[in-house]
Amino acid sequence: MRDARRPGLASRIEAATPPDRDRAVDALRALAILGVVLGHWCVTAFVSTGDGRLRVTSPLSAMPHLAPVSWVLQTLAVFFLVGGYTAAKGHRAGQPYLPWARRRLARLARPVPVLLLAWAAAMPALAWAGLPSGTLHALLKLVLSPLWFLGVYGTLTVLTPVVVMLWNRLGMRGLLFPLAATALIDLGRFGLDAPAWIGWGTVLTGWLVPFYLGVAWAHGALAPLRAGWVLLAGGATAAAVLVLWAGYPASMVGVPGAEVSNLNPPTLAAMAFGMAQCGLALLARGPLTRLTRRPGVWAAVALANLSAMTIFLWHQTAMMSVTVAAAAAGGPLPGLHTVPDRAAWIPVRLAWLPVFALALAVLWALAHRFERPRPHRANPGAVPYITQE
């Protein structure tokens, strides 16, 4: 029987939280995770081709008027904003670099081998069960797609001392370098017939923009509310101009069959939009701080942060597990295997989201323990948390 004198989980997490912890940063990370998960679950659809195969498509292909959905659910810029903030907060001048870098990269890489080993075992089993090679390729592509984020995020993290040095010397003027580099690469791709592969340079230059803003935030430059309003208004205006008059897509996520993607690789329009998101995140800091003073809310945010990488890495697997299992058990089902080409598909798809969430909860229960180091045996009841180093 549970000891009535033992405080509940929310109270224990509240007691374990340092008083100077910036809870809004954790809340922003949790919201960014939620946006990515819901975004993938809403705009990634597997369509049955009638011969046992499943192909990947998106409702944005047939219903481009749904592009504003991507403005809400494409939250990667907030990830990099928070990443720059926490990396800069954790960097100390003169501290040994290699131990610091290994510690930060370990947090990102620790859960990856479990995912890869699970799919290394699952692929032969699915092939033996008769799943066509084209479907297997589509599944594997979606499993591996989140790893690009970890690669870029990890690269920018280990470059934190360089970014901090650039900030110390140039301040906000340093932001002009990644913005100009991204603009020049886009000009080469879209205006000067340069090879398409040069676009992949924006994977670093583009995401350096919100990361640099996070470093600036950590150094107190973006504390005033006016900084948030400037970023929100300026970024939104620039993104609108690029979409309306420069030919950039309105969707901020990739659309199958589209000639240009704002995300793969990131474009100047995506960076302008990301700056607007960063501004909105800064404006939300006060309300989020007040909201997370409630123990129940803070407990949910803290637990989401503890399993951030597990949720990020496994959410696609959860969706695909439900999709493939349902196709094998009962054939094509509405909202799951049907073509997303009409408005009636949307509410049916939304009805599947709790099923995806349940599958993710099962996978989380199996995999989350590999994300964090084991708690010290002397204090097994302690509540760990992600530090804002």
Side-chain angles (χ1 to χ4, degrees):
M1 180 179 296
R2 181 180 178 270
D3 188 350
R5 294 171 298 177
R6 185 180 180 183
L9 179 61
S11 298
R12 290 160 55 204
I13 292 176
E14 182 71 28
T17 303
D20 60 345
R21 185 176 182 83
D22 193 333
R23 302 185 182 197
V25 172
D26 295 295
L28 287 171
R29 186 189 289 111
L31 289 173
I33 295 168
L34 180 63
V36 169
V37 171
L38 292 180
H40 283 155
W41 287 355
C42 289
V43 305
T44 305
F46 283 86
V47 175
S48 175
T49 61
D51 55 0
R53 300 182 181 182
L54 297 172
R55 64 177 177 87
V56 179
T57 186
S58 169
L60 297 174
S61 298
M63 296 181 283
H65 57 278
L66 294 179
V69 173
S70 70
W71 305 347
V72 177
L73 300 179
Q74 200 284 81
T75 52
L76 287 175
V78 178
F79 262 122
F80 285 99
L81 174 75
V82 172
Y85 176 91
T86 56
K89 281 289 188 181
H91 179 262
R92 301 289 185 271
Q95 71 182 123
Y97 172 73
L98 289 179
W100 174 84
R102 281 197 300 266
R103 186 172 66 252
R104 296 198 71 87
L105 290 179
R107 296 174 184 172
L108 296 176
R110 191 177 288 116
V112 173
V114 179
L115 176 75
L116 297 180
L117 288 172
W119 272 95
M123 291 297 283
L126 292 172
W128 177 82
L131 216 63
S133 59
T135 301
L136 290 174
H137 180 266
L139 294 177
L140 187 60
K141 184 177 180 180
L142 287 177
V143 170
L144 297 179
S145 61
L147 299 185
W148 75 262
F149 166 81
L150 295 186
V152 177
Y153 192 95
T155 299
L156 292 176
T157 296
V158 299
L159 290 175
T160 296
V162 178
V163 180
V164 170
M165 181 180 65
L166 185 65
W167 163 259
N168 288 333
R169 292 188 178 184
L170 299 176
M172 290 303 295
R173 291 175 297 167
L175 193 64
L176 296 176
F177 288 98
L179 283 173
T182 303
L184 288 173
I185 292 173
D186 274 12
L187 177 63
R189 291 173 62 201
F190 305 133
L192 301 176
D193 294 324
W197 57 263
I198 71 167
W200 294 105
T202 64
V203 172
L204 277 180
T205 65
W207 295 120
L208 178 56
V209 171
F211 192 88
Y212 191 92
L213 288 172
V215 171
W217 183 16
H219 286 82
L222 303 181
L225 282 178
R226 65 176 179 273
W229 285 113
V230 168
L231 284 171
L232 175 59
T237 300
V241 168
L242 290 169
V243 169
L244 295 175
W245 288 287
Y248 285 87
S251 173
M252 290 299 152
V253 298
V255 178
E259 185 177 350
V260 177
S261 167
N262 270 323
L263 200 57
N264 192 28
T267 64
L268 187 62
M271 291 307 96
F273 174 77
M275 292 177 70
Q277 277 191 323
C278 291
L280 186 60
L282 293 172
L283 293 174
R285 186 183 185 187
L288 288 175
T289 298
R290 291 188 291 272
L291 184 63
T292 51
R293 288 182 183 140
R294 301 177 182 179
V297 174
W298 172 237
V301 169
L303 291 174
N305 276 269
L306 279 173
S307 301
M309 286 298 101
T310 299
I311 295 171
F312 180 78
L313 290 174
W314 287 91
H315 74 278
Q316 295 277 55
T317 298
M319 176 190 67
M320 292 185 291
S321 298
V322 173
T323 303
V324 172
L333 296 176
L336 203 58
H337 311 107
T338 50
V339 179
D341 59 354
R342 58 192 65 189
W345 181 88
I346 300 173
V348 182
R349 180 63 169 201
L350 294 177
W352 281 104
L353 298 189
V355 184
F356 297 160
L358 178 61
L360 180 57
V362 173
L363 294 172
W364 172 86
L366 297 173
H368 80 280
R369 69 194 68 184
F370 300 101
E371 181 169 351
R372 305 291 299 172
R374 291 185 178 182
H376 197 278
R377 290 187 178 182
N379 191 17
V383 181
Y385 54 85
I386 294 178
T387 57
Q388 291 173 351
E389 297 181 353

PDB file of all heavy atoms in Angstrom, residues 192-223:
ATOM      1  N   LEU A 192      20.437  31.552 -59.747  1.00  0.00           N
ATOM      2  CA  LEU A 192      21.648  31.494 -60.567  1.00  0.00           C
ATOM      3  C   LEU A 192      21.933  30.093 -61.096  1.00  0.00           C
ATOM      4  O   LEU A 192      23.030  29.843 -61.614  1.00  0.00           O
ATOM      5  CB  LEU A 192      22.851  31.992 -59.739  1.00  0.00           C
ATOM      6  CG  LEU A 192      22.746  33.424 -59.187  1.00  0.00           C
ATOM      7  CD1 LEU A 192      23.947  33.759 -58.322  1.00  0.00           C
ATOM      8  CD2 LEU A 192      22.598  34.427 -60.336  1.00  0.00           C
ATOM      9  N   ASP A 193      20.966  29.199 -60.967  1.00  0.00           N
ATOM     10  CA  ASP A 193      21.102  27.827 -61.488  1.00  0.00           C
ATOM     11  C   ASP A 193      22.322  27.105 -60.927  1.00  0.00           C
ATOM     12  O   ASP A 193      22.961  26.297 -61.619  1.00  0.00           O
ATOM     13  CB  ASP A 193      21.172  27.835 -63.023  1.00  0.00           C
ATOM     14  CG  ASP A 193      19.871  28.316 -63.645  1.00  0.00           C
ATOM     15  OD1 ASP A 193      18.809  27.997 -63.088  1.00  0.00           O
ATOM     16  OD2 ASP A 193      19.929  29.015 -64.666  1.00  0.00           O
ATOM     17  N   ALA A 194      22.669  27.359 -59.691  1.00  0.00           N
ATOM     18  CA  ALA A 194      23.761  26.634 -59.047  1.00  0.00           C
ATOM     19  C   ALA A 194      23.306  25.210 -58.745  1.00  0.00           C
ATOM     20  O   ALA A 194      22.099  24.918 -58.711  1.00  0.00           O
ATOM     21  CB  ALA A 194      24.171  27.341 -57.757  1.00  0.00           C
ATOM     22  N   PRO A 195      24.236  24.281 -58.555  1.00  0.00           N
ATOM     23  CA  PRO A 195      23.854  22.900 -58.241  1.00  0.00           C
ATOM     24  C   PRO A 195      22.954  22.827 -57.007  1.00  0.00           C
ATOM     25  O   PRO A 195      23.162  23.558 -56.033  1.00  0.00           O
ATOM     26  CB  PRO A 195      25.196  22.201 -57.986  1.00  0.00           C
ATOM     27  CG  PRO A 195      26.205  23.050 -58.683  1.00  0.00           C
ATOM     28  CD  PRO A 195      25.691  24.457 -58.620  1.00  0.00           C
ATOM     29  N   ALA A 196      21.975  21.950 -57.075  1.00  0.00           N
ATOM     30  CA  ALA A 196      21.012  21.855 -55.971  1.00  0.00           C
ATOM     31  C   ALA A 196      21.668  21.461 -54.660  1.00  0.00           C
ATOM     32  O   ALA A 196      21.186  21.835 -53.583  1.00  0.00           O
ATOM     33  CB  ALA A 196      19.920  20.854 -56.336  1.00  0.00           C
ATOM     34  N   TRP A 197      22.806  20.734 -54.732  1.00  0.00           N
ATOM     35  CA  TRP A 197      23.409  20.242 -53.501  1.00  0.00           C
ATOM     36  C   TRP A 197      23.937  21.365 -52.603  1.00  0.00           C
ATOM     37  O   TRP A 197      24.130  21.156 -51.403  1.00  0.00           O
ATOM     38  CB  TRP A 197      24.542  19.260 -53.800  1.00  0.00           C
ATOM     39  CG  TRP A 197      25.641  19.784 -54.675  1.00  0.00           C
ATOM     40  CD1 TRP A 197      25.775  19.598 -56.020  1.00  0.00           C
ATOM     41  CD2 TRP A 197      26.755  20.580 -54.264  1.00  0.00           C
ATOM     42  NE1 TRP A 197      26.898  20.219 -56.487  1.00  0.00           N
ATOM     43  CE2 TRP A 197      27.536  20.828 -55.431  1.00  0.00           C
ATOM     44  CE3 TRP A 197      27.195  21.090 -53.052  1.00  0.00           C
ATOM     45  CZ2 TRP A 197      28.700  21.591 -55.401  1.00  0.00           C
ATOM     46  CZ3 TRP A 197      28.356  21.851 -53.016  1.00  0.00           C
ATOM     47  CH2 TRP A 197      29.104  22.082 -54.177  1.00  0.00           C
ATOM     48  N   ILE A 198      24.165  22.550 -53.154  1.00  0.00           N
ATOM     49  CA  ILE A 198      24.660  23.630 -52.294  1.00  0.00           C
ATOM     50  C   ILE A 198      23.617  24.010 -51.245  1.00  0.00           C
ATOM     51  O   ILE A 198      23.947  24.605 -50.217  1.00  0.00           O
ATOM     52  CB  ILE A 198      25.074  24.873 -53.101  1.00  0.00           C
ATOM     53  CG1 ILE A 198      23.836  25.589 -53.671  1.00  0.00           C
ATOM     54  CG2 ILE A 198      26.067  24.528 -54.201  1.00  0.00           C
ATOM     55  CD1 ILE A 198      24.145  26.968 -54.203  1.00  0.00           C
ATOM     56  N   GLY A 199      22.360  23.675 -51.517  1.00  0.00           N
ATOM     57  CA  GLY A 199      21.306  23.998 -50.567  1.00  0.00           C
ATOM     58  C   GLY A 199      21.500  23.356 -49.214  1.00  0.00           C
ATOM     59  O   GLY A 199      21.006  23.883 -48.196  1.00  0.00           O
ATOM     60  N   TRP A 200      22.213  22.246 -49.173  1.00  0.00           N
ATOM     61  CA  TRP A 200      22.385  21.561 -47.893  1.00  0.00           C
ATOM     62  C   TRP A 200      23.263  22.342 -46.940  1.00  0.00           C
ATOM     63  O   TRP A 200      23.312  22.040 -45.742  1.00  0.00           O
ATOM     64  CB  TRP A 200      22.921  20.156 -48.123  1.00  0.00           C
ATOM     65  CG  TRP A 200      21.908  19.317 -48.830  1.00  0.00           C
ATOM     66  CD1 TRP A 200      21.923  18.940 -50.136  1.00  0.00           C
ATOM     67  CD2 TRP A 200      20.683  18.813 -48.278  1.00  0.00           C
ATOM     68  NE1 TRP A 200      20.791  18.217 -50.445  1.00  0.00           N
ATOM     69  CE2 TRP A 200      20.018  18.127 -49.329  1.00  0.00           C
ATOM     70  CE3 TRP A 200      20.090  18.866 -47.022  1.00  0.00           C
ATOM     71  CZ2 TRP A 200      18.794  17.500 -49.144  1.00  0.00           C
ATOM     72  CZ3 TRP A 200      18.862  18.249 -46.835  1.00  0.00           C
ATOM     73  CH2 TRP A 200      18.235  17.577 -47.888  1.00  0.00           C
ATOM     74  N   GLY A 201      23.956  23.362 -47.447  1.00  0.00           N
ATOM     75  CA  GLY A 201      24.710  24.228 -46.542  1.00  0.00           C
ATOM     76  C   GLY A 201      23.819  24.962 -45.570  1.00  0.00           C
ATOM     77  O   GLY A 201      24.259  25.330 -44.470  1.00  0.00           O
ATOM     78  N   THR A 202      22.557  25.181 -45.950  1.00  0.00           N
ATOM     79  CA  THR A 202      21.652  25.905 -45.050  1.00  0.00           C
ATOM     80  C   THR A 202      21.218  25.061 -43.865  1.00  0.00           C
ATOM     81  O   THR A 202      20.611  25.588 -42.927  1.00  0.00           O
ATOM     82  CB  THR A 202      20.402  26.392 -45.804  1.00  0.00           C
ATOM     83  OG1 THR A 202      19.656  25.265 -46.270  1.00  0.00           O
ATOM     84  CG2 THR A 202      20.785  27.272 -46.985  1.00  0.00           C
ATOM     85  N   VAL A 203      21.483  23.767 -43.899  1.00  0.00           N
ATOM     86  CA  VAL A 203      21.159  22.949 -42.734  1.00  0.00           C
ATOM     87  C   VAL A 203      21.908  23.462 -41.506  1.00  0.00           C
ATOM     88  O   VAL A 203      21.384  23.439 -40.385  1.00  0.00           O
ATOM     89  CB  VAL A 203      21.493  21.467 -43.007  1.00  0.00           C
ATOM     90  CG1 VAL A 203      21.354  20.636 -41.747  1.00  0.00           C
ATOM     91  CG2 VAL A 203      20.570  20.914 -44.090  1.00  0.00           C
ATOM     92  N   LEU A 204      23.123  23.978 -41.732  1.00  0.00           N
ATOM     93  CA  LEU A 204      23.877  24.570 -40.627  1.00  0.00           C
ATOM     94  C   LEU A 204      23.645  26.074 -40.518  1.00  0.00           C
ATOM     95  O   LEU A 204      23.353  26.586 -39.438  1.00  0.00           O
ATOM     96  CB  LEU A 204      25.373  24.285 -40.796  1.00  0.00           C
ATOM     97  CG  LEU A 204      25.857  22.918 -40.306  1.00  0.00           C
ATOM     98  CD1 LEU A 204      27.356  22.776 -40.540  1.00  0.00           C
ATOM     99  CD2 LEU A 204      25.540  22.704 -38.829  1.00  0.00           C
ATOM    100  N   THR A 205      23.760  26.783 -41.640  1.00  0.00           N
ATOM    101  CA  THR A 205      23.620  28.241 -41.558  1.00  0.00           C
ATOM    102  C   THR A 205      22.217  28.643 -41.137  1.00  0.00           C
ATOM    103  O   THR A 205      22.035  29.594 -40.373  1.00  0.00           O
ATOM    104  CB  THR A 205      23.963  28.901 -42.906  1.00  0.00           C
ATOM    105  OG1 THR A 205      23.000  28.503 -43.900  1.00  0.00           O
ATOM    106  CG2 THR A 205      25.352  28.515 -43.373  1.00  0.00           C
ATOM    107  N   GLY A 206      21.216  27.922 -41.629  1.00  0.00           N
ATOM    108  CA  GLY A 206      19.839  28.271 -41.305  1.00  0.00           C
ATOM    109  C   GLY A 206      19.511  28.046 -39.844  1.00  0.00           C
ATOM    110  O   GLY A 206      18.982  28.933 -39.160  1.00  0.00           O
ATOM    111  N   TRP A 207      19.836  26.850 -39.337  1.00  0.00           N
ATOM    112  CA  TRP A 207      19.489  26.562 -37.946  1.00  0.00           C
ATOM    113  C   TRP A 207      20.416  27.249 -36.965  1.00  0.00           C
ATOM    114  O   TRP A 207      20.112  27.315 -35.756  1.00  0.00           O
ATOM    115  CB  TRP A 207      19.454  25.060 -37.710  1.00  0.00           C
ATOM    116  CG  TRP A 207      18.379  24.397 -38.498  1.00  0.00           C
ATOM    117  CD1 TRP A 207      18.514  23.424 -39.440  1.00  0.00           C
ATOM    118  CD2 TRP A 207      16.965  24.683 -38.434  1.00  0.00           C
ATOM    119  NE1 TRP A 207      17.294  23.074 -39.969  1.00  0.00           N
ATOM    120  CE2 TRP A 207      16.324  23.831 -39.370  1.00  0.00           C
ATOM    121  CE3 TRP A 207      16.183  25.560 -37.688  1.00  0.00           C
ATOM    122  CZ2 TRP A 207      14.946  23.850 -39.571  1.00  0.00           C
ATOM    123  CZ3 TRP A 207      14.807  25.582 -37.885  1.00  0.00           C
ATOM    124  CH2 TRP A 207      14.203  24.736 -38.808  1.00  0.00           C
ATOM    125  N   LEU A 208      21.526  27.791 -37.460  1.00  0.00           N
ATOM    126  CA  LEU A 208      22.373  28.615 -36.599  1.00  0.00           C
ATOM    127  C   LEU A 208      21.654  29.903 -36.197  1.00  0.00           C
ATOM    128  O   LEU A 208      21.952  30.473 -35.142  1.00  0.00           O
ATOM    129  CB  LEU A 208      23.685  28.943 -37.316  1.00  0.00           C
ATOM    130  CG  LEU A 208      24.680  29.845 -36.579  1.00  0.00           C
ATOM    131  CD1 LEU A 208      25.042  29.268 -35.212  1.00  0.00           C
ATOM    132  CD2 LEU A 208      25.933  30.063 -37.424  1.00  0.00           C
ATOM    133  N   VAL A 209      20.697  30.351 -37.007  1.00  0.00           N
ATOM    134  CA  VAL A 209      19.991  31.604 -36.709  1.00  0.00           C
ATOM    135  C   VAL A 209      19.248  31.507 -35.368  1.00  0.00           C
ATOM    136  O   VAL A 209      19.495  32.307 -34.457  1.00  0.00           O
ATOM    137  CB  VAL A 209      19.049  31.990 -37.864  1.00  0.00           C
ATOM    138  CG1 VAL A 209      18.149  33.156 -37.459  1.00  0.00           C
ATOM    139  CG2 VAL A 209      19.845  32.334 -39.117  1.00  0.00           C
ATOM    140  N   PRO A 210      18.318  30.549 -35.176  1.00  0.00           N
ATOM    141  CA  PRO A 210      17.663  30.480 -33.859  1.00  0.00           C
ATOM    142  C   PRO A 210      18.626  30.063 -32.752  1.00  0.00           C
ATOM    143  O   PRO A 210      18.447  30.480 -31.595  1.00  0.00           O
ATOM    144  CB  PRO A 210      16.549  29.442 -34.060  1.00  0.00           C
ATOM    145  CG  PRO A 210      16.969  28.643 -35.248  1.00  0.00           C
ATOM    146  CD  PRO A 210      17.727  29.585 -36.130  1.00  0.00           C
ATOM    147  N   PHE A 211      19.625  29.250 -33.070  1.00  0.00           N
ATOM    148  CA  PHE A 211      20.607  28.865 -32.055  1.00  0.00           C
ATOM    149  C   PHE A 211      21.354  30.095 -31.554  1.00  0.00           C
ATOM    150  O   PHE A 211      21.571  30.269 -30.345  1.00  0.00           O
ATOM    151  CB  PHE A 211      21.584  27.838 -32.644  1.00  0.00           C
ATOM    152  CG  PHE A 211      22.459  27.162 -31.621  1.00  0.00           C
ATOM    153  CD1 PHE A 211      22.031  26.007 -30.984  1.00  0.00           C
ATOM    154  CD2 PHE A 211      23.710  27.666 -31.307  1.00  0.00           C
ATOM    155  CE1 PHE A 211      22.835  25.368 -30.041  1.00  0.00           C
ATOM    156  CE2 PHE A 211      24.524  27.042 -30.371  1.00  0.00           C
ATOM    157  CZ  PHE A 211      24.084  25.890 -29.739  1.00  0.00           C
ATOM    158  N   TYR A 212      21.741  30.956 -32.477  1.00  0.00           N
ATOM    159  CA  TYR A 212      22.437  32.199 -32.104  1.00  0.00           C
ATOM    160  C   TYR A 212      21.519  33.093 -31.270  1.00  0.00           C
ATOM    161  O   TYR A 212      21.966  33.729 -30.309  1.00  0.00           O
ATOM    162  CB  TYR A 212      22.888  32.925 -33.365  1.00  0.00           C
ATOM    163  CG  TYR A 212      23.844  34.068 -33.120  1.00  0.00           C
ATOM    164  CD1 TYR A 212      25.219  33.865 -33.156  1.00  0.00           C
ATOM    165  CD2 TYR A 212      23.381  35.362 -32.852  1.00  0.00           C
ATOM    166  CE1 TYR A 212      26.112  34.917 -32.924  1.00  0.00           C
ATOM    167  CE2 TYR A 212      24.253  36.407 -32.621  1.00  0.00           C
ATOM    168  CZ  TYR A 212      25.621  36.178 -32.669  1.00  0.00           C
ATOM    169  OH  TYR A 212      26.492  37.215 -32.432  1.00  0.00           O
ATOM    170  N   LEU A 213      20.243  33.140 -31.642  1.00  0.00           N
ATOM    171  CA  LEU A 213      19.300  33.910 -30.833  1.00  0.00           C
ATOM    172  C   LEU A 213      19.209  33.346 -29.420  1.00  0.00           C
ATOM    173  O   LEU A 213      19.053  34.103 -28.447  1.00  0.00           O
ATOM    174  CB  LEU A 213      17.923  33.907 -31.496  1.00  0.00           C
ATOM    175  CG  LEU A 213      17.783  34.754 -32.762  1.00  0.00           C
ATOM    176  CD1 LEU A 213      16.433  34.504 -33.429  1.00  0.00           C
ATOM    177  CD2 LEU A 213      17.947  36.238 -32.431  1.00  0.00           C
ATOM    178  N   GLY A 214      19.303  32.020 -29.280  1.00  0.00           N
ATOM    179  CA  GLY A 214      19.308  31.418 -27.959  1.00  0.00           C
ATOM    180  C   GLY A 214      20.525  31.826 -27.151  1.00  0.00           C
ATOM    181  O   GLY A 214      20.421  32.084 -25.939  1.00  0.00           O
ATOM    182  N   VAL A 215      21.689  31.908 -27.807  1.00  0.00           N
ATOM    183  CA  VAL A 215      22.903  32.374 -27.129  1.00  0.00           C
ATOM    184  C   VAL A 215      22.719  33.826 -26.688  1.00  0.00           C
ATOM    185  O   VAL A 215      23.081  34.201 -25.563  1.00  0.00           O
ATOM    186  CB  VAL A 215      24.123  32.220 -28.061  1.00  0.00           C
ATOM    187  CG1 VAL A 215      25.359  32.898 -27.458  1.00  0.00           C
ATOM    188  CG2 VAL A 215      24.407  30.742 -28.330  1.00  0.00           C
ATOM    189  N   ALA A 216      22.149  34.641 -27.566  1.00  0.00           N
ATOM    190  CA  ALA A 216      21.885  36.037 -27.206  1.00  0.00           C
ATOM    191  C   ALA A 216      20.929  36.128 -26.020  1.00  0.00           C
ATOM    192  O   ALA A 216      21.114  36.955 -25.110  1.00  0.00           O
ATOM    193  CB  ALA A 216      21.308  36.778 -28.420  1.00  0.00           C
ATOM    194  N   TRP A 217      19.922  35.277 -26.008  1.00  0.00           N
ATOM    195  CA  TRP A 217      18.953  35.233 -24.905  1.00  0.00           C
ATOM    196  C   TRP A 217      19.659  34.886 -23.596  1.00  0.00           C
ATOM    197  O   TRP A 217      19.413  35.506 -22.547  1.00  0.00           O
ATOM    198  CB  TRP A 217      17.869  34.217 -25.250  1.00  0.00           C
ATOM    199  CG  TRP A 217      16.769  34.097 -24.253  1.00  0.00           C
ATOM    200  CD1 TRP A 217      16.461  34.960 -23.251  1.00  0.00           C
ATOM    201  CD2 TRP A 217      15.814  33.039 -24.180  1.00  0.00           C
ATOM    202  NE1 TRP A 217      15.364  34.507 -22.546  1.00  0.00           N
ATOM    203  CE2 TRP A 217      14.951  33.345 -23.098  1.00  0.00           C
ATOM    204  CE3 TRP A 217      15.583  31.885 -24.926  1.00  0.00           C
ATOM    205  CZ2 TRP A 217      13.900  32.506 -22.746  1.00  0.00           C
ATOM    206  CZ3 TRP A 217      14.532  31.057 -24.571  1.00  0.00           C
ATOM    207  CH2 TRP A 217      13.702  31.362 -23.490  1.00  0.00           C
ATOM    208  N   ALA A 218      20.562  33.899 -23.655  1.00  0.00           N
ATOM    209  CA  ALA A 218      21.286  33.490 -22.449  1.00  0.00           C
ATOM    210  C   ALA A 218      22.152  34.609 -21.893  1.00  0.00           C
ATOM    211  O   ALA A 218      22.424  34.657 -20.687  1.00  0.00           O
ATOM    212  CB  ALA A 218      22.147  32.263 -22.751  1.00  0.00           C
ATOM    213  N   HIS A 219      22.576  35.525 -22.757  1.00  0.00           N
ATOM    214  CA  HIS A 219      23.412  36.653 -22.321  1.00  0.00           C
ATOM    215  C   HIS A 219      22.588  37.901 -22.011  1.00  0.00           C
ATOM    216  O   HIS A 219      23.145  38.996 -21.869  1.00  0.00           O
ATOM    217  CB  HIS A 219      24.472  36.963 -23.382  1.00  0.00           C
ATOM    218  CG  HIS A 219      25.581  35.963 -23.430  1.00  0.00           C
ATOM    219  ND1 HIS A 219      25.470  34.759 -24.099  1.00  0.00           N
ATOM    220  CD2 HIS A 219      26.815  35.966 -22.871  1.00  0.00           C
ATOM    221  CE1 HIS A 219      26.603  34.084 -23.960  1.00  0.00           C
ATOM    222  NE2 HIS A 219      27.427  34.781 -23.221  1.00  0.00           N
ATOM    223  N   GLY A 220      21.275  37.738 -21.937  1.00  0.00           N
ATOM    224  CA  GLY A 220      20.424  38.828 -21.493  1.00  0.00           C
ATOM    225  C   GLY A 220      20.004  39.814 -22.555  1.00  0.00           C
ATOM    226  O   GLY A 220      19.327  40.807 -22.250  1.00  0.00           O
ATOM    227  N   ALA A 221      20.369  39.561 -23.831  1.00  0.00           N
ATOM    228  CA  ALA A 221      20.085  40.550 -24.871  1.00  0.00           C
ATOM    229  C   ALA A 221      18.625  40.573 -25.282  1.00  0.00           C
ATOM    230  O   ALA A 221      18.143  41.591 -25.788  1.00  0.00           O
ATOM    231  CB  ALA A 221      20.958  40.269 -26.104  1.00  0.00           C
ATOM    232  N   LEU A 222      17.905  39.476 -25.080  1.00  0.00           N
ATOM    233  CA  LEU A 222      16.525  39.399 -25.561  1.00  0.00           C
ATOM    234  C   LEU A 222      15.522  39.423 -24.416  1.00  0.00           C
ATOM    235  O   LEU A 222      14.374  39.035 -24.595  1.00  0.00           O
ATOM    236  CB  LEU A 222      16.330  38.122 -26.394  1.00  0.00           C
ATOM    237  CG  LEU A 222      17.275  37.972 -27.600  1.00  0.00           C
ATOM    238  CD1 LEU A 222      16.964  36.680 -28.351  1.00  0.00           C
ATOM    239  CD2 LEU A 222      17.154  39.169 -28.538  1.00  0.00           C
ATOM    240  N   ALA A 223      15.959  39.876 -23.258  1.00  0.00           N
ATOM    241  CA  ALA A 223      15.058  39.895 -22.102  1.00  0.00           C
ATOM    242  C   ALA A 223      13.900  40.878 -22.251  1.00  0.00           C
ATOM    243  O   ALA A 223      12.762  40.552 -21.896  1.00  0.00           O
ATOM    244  CB  ALA A 223      15.854  40.185 -20.834  1.00  0.00           C
TER     245      ALA A 223
END
